[in-house]
């Protein structure tokens, strides 16, 4: 320190000696960009949109796999530990957060304000033992909150607030960015609502129980199976599906990702067409959150025409 | 003088009891104030340096000293337990970074400090070997603790159950040593650091066990009620956290009610600190906020007051000892009258005996000085531990 | 060796008076001094040794006028010329026999303690038959052994005159004769002169001459 101090003293002296009339006072060095880590891609997208250049946003999960069930490796944990802000999705998403040593006061649960509107998944068995009695484990909430654009906007608001708390001087800028993002999300919402308007009762089947908030938002009549897009259903799954179709005559199956040809053909044979609605929990190969959602919307349009 | 020293040396060797008694007297009288000074110096250094670098501590109302001793120096005395809500309040105020600490459990005599990752940055603690705490069950140990316990990266250490108040919930937990900290010459060197959640596991607030709803062994189930499975006493609580069972750990209850012993509050700036302190002045406040430096200053000023009294006492004892020594030498001179006569007759000045006595005193004083030096070196070597023993426990 | 003329002495307090008109001891002579207690025998030794100073008269020892010496000269004279042998041996308990023998060399700058001195001390000890005891402390010695050690100490600086004050007084009859023999041998061997105060009348015939103190002392009525 003394050395740099001396150097700066010297610098000041030089400047004074040369004469100060043309000295341009440099801008104060900007505060370091905030380091923001997120537990899923949508939050990363929101944070980047709102913070702009004022934060470096990282979401270190590998491109394959569902970050909801991811366990970060040591390098990733070290990254999360060093972050100024760790954006959580909440609603029981990313179980690993509870196992990892992260400072609670850097964590921001973006769905904390939505607690009352979260959807509990039925038929969960609680257990009791020891003195504390009955309790139910976490993870019994549906967690794909961001598929409801209204909830997504609220989460984005929480992101903006967290950023503004760390950098109060930038609050206005963050707010403006948030408003732009929220506008786009709401436009999306309006568009989806228009697509399904009056056709909400049309039965659809979703391949995975991740669309709870989406279907609730638009009052859709969806039933869920538990299929993976990369494998055709086995006999038991197919039998179950046929039974489902009898009481829920759906014309469309909504997939998380591009399904295998075999599954598409089996479904087509049963008169059920396939469409992809990517929940976009992980970083998309192309585009960003909104472009993926717009693609989703276009895909969806076919089912509700 | 060499001959005088030789004779005096022979004399003291022959009169060992007298010699060692005198040496012991001088050593004690000289050592006491030196030891006291050393210890006070060290305690001032140790206590104060730590206190000034810890701006504010929030804890239960009660003994501020206990709170400081526990949260800064990890003393044995556990203050009244508070909850994470206290830390949340600090966070919500937006004036300071809260660093909750839970210093209650021990492992083989060393304090287990449950805290957040922020603690390490705040204290400037660096991992010298291994890595930082990543997951539940991980611990990093202070340099001295690692040395004394003979543990390093890759070893395990089991928390001791002896300070357990609540037998029902507390299990000895095997922690995985993932890192050893660089020596900081503070209490941190003695501690075993875990994530708060790991500390709560020791208390049974976070726990892991087999999934009862998927249990194959029917003996695990006491009864099945509508939507609830009641575990039998056979349900095995994990006492070690491994990669395999990490997922099984879960928190019981509301995390904001989880216990901690204190919150270190690092204010954004001086003004924020003042405002924060003000919030705890209202009569409704259930917690107190203290400035550790003030508490330690108070403690030290008490110690210094005691030291002044002790100094006076030692001065008197020193005087008494000096007089006793004069008496001893006067008597010894009388006892050695024949010797004096003999050497006089042989052809020496009577004053030669004075030289012999001087040499003897020199030997005694030198021996005492060496002893005092050795003892002082011992004190200096262990002053850190002694200060802990005396003031922190 | 000793030549005393018209010597008078009195202690500053007390009534004792010593009056010695003439007293001579030839070189190599071994003279016994006898007389009742308090007759001034020891006083005579102290005067010859220069420990006491006469009121008047002269004492010459080996040509040195002892009566006229200053303090320092007298001490040097004592340590180089006189060897003292005491009734109670006066060995220092805290020194072993060797260190006791070497004591004169350690307490004065007038004598230099070299390796030759140590060798001589050993010779003397073996001459006295105590060479095996030199590392013992006086407390571990018999009376006879102690006096042998004391004689070694007296002889080591090669004194011309040995002053023995009841040197056999604390010894048993067998030892008395033996020690005296040794003392005489040593005196002869070292070509010294012996002036010995003694009460042991049975040993008197071994001396060359006996000086009876009745001849010298004067009692003055109070």
């Amino acid at each position: 320190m003394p050395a740099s101090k001396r150097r700066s003293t010297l610098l000041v002296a030089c400047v004074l000696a040369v004469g100060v009339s043309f000295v341009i006072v440099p801008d104060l060095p900007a505060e370091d960009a905030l380091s923001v880590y997120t537990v899923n891609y949508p939050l990363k997208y929101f944070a980047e949109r709102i913070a702009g250049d004022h934060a470096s946003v990282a979401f270190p999960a590998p491109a394959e796999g569902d970050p909801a069930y991811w366990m970060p490796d040591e390098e990733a944990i070290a990254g999360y530990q060093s972050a100024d802000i760790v954006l959580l999705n909440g609603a029981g998403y990313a179980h690993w957060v509870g196992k990892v040593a992260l400072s609670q006061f850097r964590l921001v649960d973006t769905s904390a304000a939505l607690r009352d509107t979260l959807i509990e998944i039925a038929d969960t068995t609680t257990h009791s033992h020891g003195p504390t009695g009955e309790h139910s484990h976490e993870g019994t909430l549906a967690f794909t909150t961001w598929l409801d654009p209204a909830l997504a906007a609220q989460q984005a608001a929480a992101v903006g607030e967290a950023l503004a708390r760390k950098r109060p001087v930038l609050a206005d800028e963050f707010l403006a960015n948030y408003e732009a993002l929220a506008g786009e999300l709401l436009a999306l919402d309006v568009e989806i609502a228009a697509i399904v308007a009056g056709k909400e009762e049309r039965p659809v089947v979703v391949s995975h129980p991740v669309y709870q908030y989406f279907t609730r938002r638009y009052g859709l009549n969806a039933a869920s199976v538990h299929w993976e897009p990369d494998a055709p259903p086995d006999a038991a799954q197919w039998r179950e599906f046929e039974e489902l179709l009898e009481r829920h005559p759906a014309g469309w199956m909504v997939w998380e990702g591009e399904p295998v040809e075999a599954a598409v053909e089996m479904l087509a044979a049963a008169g059920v067409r396939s469409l992809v609605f990517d929940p976009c929990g992980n970083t998309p190969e192309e585009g960003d959150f909104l472009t993926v959602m717009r693609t989703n919307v276009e895909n969806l349009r076919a089912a509700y025409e | 003088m060499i001959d005088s020293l030789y004779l005096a040396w022979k004399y003291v060797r022959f009169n060992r009891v007298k010699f060692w008694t005198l040496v012991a007297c001088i050593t004690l009288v000289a050592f006491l104030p030196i030891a006291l000074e050393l210890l006070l110096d060290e305690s001032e250094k140790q206590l104060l340096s730590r206190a000034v670098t810890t701006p504010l501590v929030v804890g239960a109302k009660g003994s501020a000293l206990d709170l400081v001793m526990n949260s800064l120096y990890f003393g044995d005395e556990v203050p009244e337990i508070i909850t994470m809500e206290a830390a949340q309040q600090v966070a919500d105020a937006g004036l300071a970074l809260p660093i909750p600490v839970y210093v209650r459990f021990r492992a083989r005599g060393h304090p287990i400090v449950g805290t957040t990752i922020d603690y390490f940055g705040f204290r400037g603690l660096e991992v010298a070997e291994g890595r930082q705490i990543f997951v539940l069950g991980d611990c990093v140990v202070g340099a001295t603790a690692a040395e004394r316990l003979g543990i390093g990266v890759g070893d395990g250490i089991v928390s001791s159950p002896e300070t357990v108040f609540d037998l029902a919930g507390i299990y000895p937990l095997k922690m995985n040593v993932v890192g050893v900290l660089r020596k900081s010459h503070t209490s941190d060197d003695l501690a075993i650091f875990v994530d708060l959640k790991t500390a709560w596991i020791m208390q049974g607030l976070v726990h892991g066990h087999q999934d009862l709803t998927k249990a194959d062994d029917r003996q695990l189930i006491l009864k099945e009620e509508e939507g609830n499975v009641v575990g039998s006493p056979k349900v095995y609580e994990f006492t070690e956290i491994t990669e395999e069972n990490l997922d099984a750990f879960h928190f019981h209850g509301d995390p904001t009610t989880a216990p901690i012993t204190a919150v270190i509050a690092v204010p954004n700036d001086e003004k924020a600190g003042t405002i924060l302190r003000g919030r705890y002045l209202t009569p409704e406040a259930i917690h107190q906020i203290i400035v550790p430096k003030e508490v330690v200053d108070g403690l030290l000023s008490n110690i210094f007051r005691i030291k002044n009294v002790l100094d006076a006492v030692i001065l008197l004892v020193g005087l008494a000892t000096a007089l006793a020594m004069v008496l001893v030498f006067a008597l010894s001179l009388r006892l050695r009258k024949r010797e004096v006569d003999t050497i006089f007759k042989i052809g020496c000045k009577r004053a030669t005996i004075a030289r012999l006595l001087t040499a003897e005193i020199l030997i005694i004083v030198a021996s005492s000085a060496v002893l005092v030096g050795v003892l002082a070196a011992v004190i200096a070597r262990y002053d850190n531990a002694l200060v802990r023993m005396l003031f922190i426990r | 060796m000793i030549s005393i003329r018209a010597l008078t002495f009195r202690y500053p307090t007390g009534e004792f008076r010593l009056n010695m008109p003439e007293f001579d001891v030839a070189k190599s002579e071994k003279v016994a001094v006898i007389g009742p207690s308090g007759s001034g025998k020891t006083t005579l030794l102290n005067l010859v040794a220069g420990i006491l100073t006469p009121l008047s008269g002269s004492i010459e020892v080996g040509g040195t006028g002892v009566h006229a010496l200053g303090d320092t000269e007298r001490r040097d004279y004592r340590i180089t010329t006189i060897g003292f042998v005491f009734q109670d041996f006066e060995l220092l308990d805290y020194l072993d026999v060797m260190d006791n023998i070497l004591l004169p060399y350690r307490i004065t700058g007038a004598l230099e303690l070299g390796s030759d001195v140590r060798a001589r001390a050993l010779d003397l000890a073996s001459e006295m038959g105590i060479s095996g005891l030199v590392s013992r402390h006086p407390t571990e010695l018999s009376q006879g052994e102690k006096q042998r050690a004391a004689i070694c100490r007296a002889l080591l600086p090669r004194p011309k005159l040995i002053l023995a004050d009841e040197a056999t007084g604390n010894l048993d009859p067998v030892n008395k004769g033996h020690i005296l023999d040794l003392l005489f041998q040593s005196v002869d061997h070292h070509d010294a002169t012996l002036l010995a105060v003694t009460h042991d009348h049975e040993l008197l015939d071994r001396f060359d001459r006996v000086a009876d103190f009745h001849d010298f002392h004067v009692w003055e009525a109070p």
Side-chain angles (χ1 to χ4, degrees):
Chain A
M1 262 306 155
S4 70
K5 205 171 186 180
R6 219 173 304 130
R7 216 173 302 136
S8 55
T9 313
L10 201 69
L11 192 76
V12 169
C14 287
V15 165
L16 287 175
V18 166
V20 289
S21 39
F22 295 107
V23 173
I24 297 162
V25 180
D27 284 337
L28 281 172
E31 266 184 295
D32 286 346
L34 281 166
S35 166
V36 178
Y37 270 66
T38 73
V39 297
N40 63 16
Y41 171 70
L43 290 173
K44 179 182 192 234
Y45 178 74
F46 300 162
E48 279 174 341
R49 285 284 307 263
I50 295 168
D53 291 339
H54 302 295
S56 79
V57 186
F59 169 54
E64 310 82 42
D66 187 343
Y69 304 104
W70 173 55
M71 179 70 202
D73 59 13
E74 295 186 349
E75 196 187 334
I77 292 176
Y80 279 102
Q81 286 181 338
S82 69
D84 295 315
I85 300 174
V86 176
L87 296 174
L88 305 182
N89 187 70
Y93 187 88
H95 225 173
W96 64 263
V97 173
K99 328 281 183 201
V100 166
L102 294 178
S103 172
Q104 177 174 339
F105 306 103
R106 291 166 193 265
L107 304 182
V108 176
D109 180 354
T110 55
S111 66
L114 314 176
R115 202 151 282 158
D116 296 339
T117 66
L118 296 180
I119 298 172
E120 221 170 300
I121 298 171
D123 69 66
T124 304
T125 309
T126 59
H127 72 252
S128 66
H129 55 84
T132 39
E134 185 171 317
H135 67 274
S136 151
H137 284 174
E138 297 160 54
T140 55
L141 292 171
F143 52 64
T144 43
T145 45
W146 63 89
L147 291 184
D148 173 347
L151 295 186
Q154 289 191 55
Q155 286 184 276
V159 171
E161 282 163 19
L163 290 167
R165 262 200 303 279
K166 287 279 178 189
R167 291 284 184 273
V169 287
L170 300 170
D172 290 344
E173 190 178 338
F174 293 156
L175 182 63
N177 291 343
Y178 159 72
E179 278 170 353
L181 172 64
E184 290 179 57
L185 286 169
L186 291 181
L188 197 68
D189 182 54
V190 169
E191 195 178 349
I192 298 168
I195 290 169
V196 300
K199 301 160 190 160
E200 292 92 344
E201 288 308 317
R202 195 177 285 184
V204 292
V205 177
V206 296
S207 68
H208 224 102
V210 293
Y211 299 98
Q212 297 92 337
Y213 294 99
F214 182 78
T215 52
R216 180 181 70 181
R217 174 72 185 167
Y218 304 106
L220 302 183
N221 180 16
S224 178
V225 290
H226 223 115
W227 294 5
E228 298 302 330
D230 52 2
D234 61 24
Q237 283 175 328
W238 185 255
R239 212 171 315 118
E240 206 181 321
F241 177 68
E242 282 180 324
E243 282 168 22
L244 177 67
L245 273 188
E246 276 172 32
R247 53 177 200 276
H248 187 79
W252 288 87
M253 168 68 94
V254 180
W255 292 91
E256 292 174 273
E258 201 58 52
V260 291
E261 202 54 40
V264 176
E265 281 167 14
M266 281 172 81
L267 287 171
V272 178
R273 293 199 286 169
S274 292
L275 78 87
V276 175
F277 192 104
D278 183 354
C280 204
N282 208 337
T283 314
E285 279 170 36
E286 274 173 50
D288 59 31
F289 180 73
L290 277 178
T291 60
V292 170
M293 285 301 144
R294 281 192 198 104
T295 310
N296 286 341
V297 169
E298 289 315 310
N299 293 345
L300 198 67
R301 199 186 294 278
Y304 285 93
E305 261 178 347
Chain B
M1 199 61 204
I2 304 261
D3 283 322
S4 299
L5 276 173
Y6 178 81
L7 292 178
W9 169 241
K10 290 284 174 180
Y11 180 81
V12 298
R13 268 192 57 177
F14 191 74
N15 298 287
R16 283 191 197 96
V17 175
K18 176 190 160 195
F19 170 68
W20 285 116
T21 309
L22 289 175
V23 168
C25 284
I26 298 178
T27 303
L28 278 179
V29 168
F31 170 66
L32 266 167
I34 291 174
L36 214 62
E37 194 63 44
L38 277 174
L39 283 180
L40 280 178
D41 248 32
E42 175 63 21
S43 51
E44 198 180 350
K45 215 163 61 189
Q46 214 183 100
L47 295 178
L48 212 55
S49 66
R50 185 94 163 159
V52 293
T53 53
T54 313
L56 293 167
V57 171
V58 177
K61 280 187 171 166
S63 162
L65 191 59
D66 277 358
L67 188 58
V68 168
M69 287 297 152
N70 177 268
S71 50
L72 270 64
Y73 314 104
F74 314 137
D76 279 346
E77 209 68 53
V78 180
E80 209 180 308
I81 304 290
I82 58 173
T83 65
M84 276 300 273
E85 208 183 340
Q88 194 57 54
Q89 278 168 3
V90 174
D92 292 346
L95 297 164
L97 170 71
I99 303 173
V101 290
Y102 191 30
V103 187
R104 173 175 168 184
F105 303 111
R106 308 219 147 223
R108 284 163 62 194
H110 287 262
I112 298 173
V113 179
T115 185
T116 62
I117 207 83
D118 290 333
Y119 185 86
F120 302 95
F122 165 61
R123 290 281 187 221
L125 296 173
E126 283 171 35
V127 177
E129 199 187 312
R131 58 163 173 83
Q132 190 46 270
I133 297 168
F134 281 163
V135 293
L136 293 183
D138 282 358
C139 70
V140 294
V141 292
T144 312
E147 203 176 293
R148 289 206 194 140
L149 297 172
I151 51 175
V153 175
D155 294 333
I157 176 152
V158 180
S159 62
S160 316
E162 67 255 16
T163 51
V164 166
F165 320 118
D166 171 13
L167 283 163
I170 296 175
Y171 309 89
L173 178 80
K174 186 176 169 202
M175 297 167 283
N176 308 312
V177 179
V178 298
V180 177
L181 296 173
R182 200 178 301 290
K183 214 175 181 86
S184 65
H185 302 284
T186 66
S187 303
D188 294 328
D189 289 344
L190 292 168
I192 299 165
F193 294 93
V194 295
D195 187 70
L196 268 176
K197 293 187 284 276
T198 308
W200 294 331
I201 291 176
M202 288 168 207
Q203 204 167 336
L205 292 172
V206 180
H207 69 180
H209 53 74
Q210 297 104 314
D211 188 343
L212 295 182
T213 56
K214 293 179 190 155
D216 292 330
D217 184 353
R218 297 309 296 171
Q219 283 182 319
L220 292 178
I221 314 274
L222 201 59
K223 57 180 173 174
E224 269 183 275
E225 296 158 353
E226 186 74 22
N228 187 29
V229 182
V230 181
S232 76
K234 201 187 164 189
V235 173
Y236 171 78
E237 298 272 354
F238 298 128
T239 54
E240 184 181 353
I241 300 165
T242 61
E243 249 174 76
E244 288 74 43
N245 70 17
L246 180 61
D247 275 342
F249 280 86
H250 51 274
F251 195 93
H252 274 225
D254 177 3
T256 59
T257 64
I260 49 175
T261 45
V263 183
I264 295 170
V266 188
N268 304 338
D269 50 48
E270 205 169 312
K271 190 176 150 214
T274 312
I275 299 170
L276 188 66
R277 289 178 71 185
R279 302 229 172 143
Y280 291 84
L281 293 178
T282 59
E284 306 88 68
I286 53 168
H287 301 127
Q288 62 173 336
I289 189 162
I290 52 169
V291 180
K293 184 177 179 298
E294 289 172 4
V295 175
V296 170
D297 275 344
L299 174 71
L300 285 174
S301 73
N302 277 332
I303 295 173
F304 276 112
R305 219 167 292 148
I306 295 167
K307 183 191 180 281
N308 286 341
V309 173
L310 273 175
D311 278 349
V313 170
I314 288 169
L315 191 71
L316 281 176
V317 172
L319 261 168
T321 309
L323 286 175
M325 300 262 300
V326 168
L327 187 66
V328 165
F329 282 105
L331 284 175
S332 139
L333 210 55
R334 198 183 286 180
L335 283 172
R336 295 174 77 177
K337 186 172 182 328
R338 291 182 63 146
E339 183 186 336
V340 176
D341 286 347
T342 305
I343 59 175
F344 176 67
K345 280 183 176 173
I346 289 174
C348 286
K349 276 190 268 190
R350 284 181 194 279
T352 301
I353 195 74
R355 247 173 39 209
L356 291 183
L357 277 181
T358 309
E360 186 188 336
I361 292 171
L362 217 70
I363 290 175
I364 290 172
V365 169
S367 307
S368 301
V370 169
L371 264 181
V372 168
V374 168
L375 287 173
V378 169
I379 291 277
R381 168 82 180 72
Y382 295 107
D383 54 359
N384 203 293
L386 278 168
V387 166
R388 278 201 73 80
M389 234 166 68
L390 287 173
F391 301 119
I392 303 165
R393 277 180 304 139
Chain C
M1 185 69 196
I2 304 174
S3 175
I4 295 174
R5 294 291 177 271
L7 173 74
T8 61
F9 174 79
R10 62 175 296 183
Y11 288 103
T13 57
E15 301 104 36
F16 179 82
R17 290 271 195 288
L18 182 68
N19 189 2
M20 208 176 213
E22 186 175 343
F23 179 70
D24 290 287
V25 177
K27 190 166 187 297
S28 305
E29 203 179 9
K30 293 184 270 291
V31 176
V33 179
I34 58 166
S37 295
S39 59
K41 303 186 297 287
T42 303
T43 305
L44 173 66
L45 293 192
N46 287 343
L47 283 163
V48 172
I51 292 166
L52 298 175
T53 322
L55 214 56
S56 64
S58 67
I59 305 170
E60 285 193 7
V61 177
T64 308
V66 180
H67 60 279
L69 294 176
D71 271 358
T72 314
E73 292 160 316
R74 231 176 315 154
R75 277 199 300 270
D76 288 349
Y77 150 77
R78 204 149 66 229
I79 205 146
T80 52
T81 314
I82 307 288
F84 252 107
V85 182
F86 306 97
Q87 179 175 6
D88 291 322
F89 328 124
E90 305 298 352
L91 297 172
L92 304 186
D93 283 344
Y94 59 85
L95 299 178
D96 62 20
V97 169
M98 184 48 105
D99 280 331
N100 264 297
I101 295 173
L102 294 172
L103 184 66
Y105 286 82
R106 293 210 187 270
I107 51 175
T108 169
L111 298 173
E112 198 170 324
L113 179 55
S115 54
D116 57 318
V117 177
R118 288 172 195 275
R120 258 186 326 107
L122 265 176
D123 288 348
L124 262 173
S126 58
E127 219 172 90
M128 288 287 161
I130 52 166
S131 58
L133 306 175
V134 288
S135 56
R136 295 219 193 147
H137 279 258
T139 45
E140 299 167 300
L141 301 182
S142 70
Q143 301 291 81
E145 288 162 347
K146 283 186 200 173
Q147 196 58 297
R148 288 165 210 237
I151 292 169
C152 290
R153 181 180 66 193
L155 289 170
L156 188 63
R158 294 199 175 113
K160 296 189 188 80
L161 176 61
I162 305 287
L163 298 176
D165 192 355
E166 304 277 11
T168 51
N170 274 349
L171 302 178
D172 57 86
V174 181
N175 259 318
K176 275 183 210 270
H178 201 60
I179 294 287
L180 205 64
D181 285 344
L182 281 171
L183 186 56
F184 279 19
Q185 274 171 31
S186 309
V187 168
D188 287 342
H189 187 237
H190 293 279
D191 199 23
T193 307
L194 175 67
L195 183 61
V197 167
T198 181
H199 275 114
D200 293 320
H201 289 254
E202 69 274 17
L203 299 172
L204 292 180
D205 51 349
R206 301 193 189 195
F207 287 87
D208 298 335
R209 190 155 60 91
V210 175
D212 190 340
F213 241 61
H214 283 106
D215 302 339
F216 303 116
H217 94 282
V218 174
W219 288 99
E220 214 166 75

